[in-house]
Amino acid sequence: MNLMKDREQAFESAYQQKQEQERKKTYRRNRLFAKWVSDELNLKGEQAEELEKIIFLSDLEEPGDDDILRTTIAQMKAHGVEVDKATLERRLEHFMTRAGKQDDSPP
């Protein structure tokens, strides 16, 4: 009986660790993506930081990427830049790959 409970706890622990790694990877991706957006808009200093914060925090609104995409499109449009959703989705994929290659340092 203890063997089964130990195995269950080990699987649960491994699952939680994997979930935590994925969460950190997504945070790194979002930071890289937000930085890219502010660079695309040629924002510097406080303006860049504020925009990056808005974009980063927007991903916490709902599961998936629709929230961060919607916010990014609106922010870019407000700055006079038209961008399509497919382009932003490709950038998110690119930054997810980069985030996965980074070490496991805190986001």
Side-chain angles (χ1 to χ4, degrees), residues 4-105:
M4 286 298 285
K5 187 161 183 87
D6 290 345
R7 289 187 71 191
E8 183 180 322
Q9 287 175 343
F11 282 124
E12 186 174 317
S13 177
Y15 175 78
Q16 288 175 350
Q17 188 175 28
K18 182 170 175 48
Q19 290 296 104
E20 180 67 13
Q21 289 171 344
E22 285 299 312
R23 183 185 64 78
K24 288 180 180 180
K25 182 178 167 183
T26 300
Y27 281 177
R28 285 191 299 269
R29 177 206 65 176
N30 291 350
R31 289 205 185 276
L32 291 167
F33 179 73
K35 174 70 172 123
W36 172 79
V37 173
S38 68
D39 288 346
E40 287 293 301
L41 298 176
N42 294 315
L43 299 178
K44 305 287 183 224
E46 288 182 21
Q47 283 185 318
E49 289 174 13
E50 185 61 30
L51 179 69
E52 291 167 19
K53 182 179 176 182
I54 289 168
I55 291 172
F56 179 80
L57 291 176
S58 72
D59 195 39
L60 304 175
E61 294 172 8
E62 59 190 49
D65 292 332
D66 286 340
D67 47 0
I68 196 170
L69 292 168
R70 191 172 44 249
T71 299
T72 302
I73 290 169
Q75 289 295 320
M76 292 184 87
K77 188 174 184 177
H79 286 86
V81 176
E82 292 293 325
V83 64
D84 61 291
K85 185 177 177 181
T87 299
L88 296 178
E89 288 172 332
R90 285 191 300 275
R91 295 310 299 176
L92 282 173
E93 288 175 22
H94 168 76
F95 289 121
M96 184 61 92
T97 301
R98 280 189 54 194
K101 293 178 181 176
Q102 292 180 356
D103 65 353
D104 200 24
S105 58

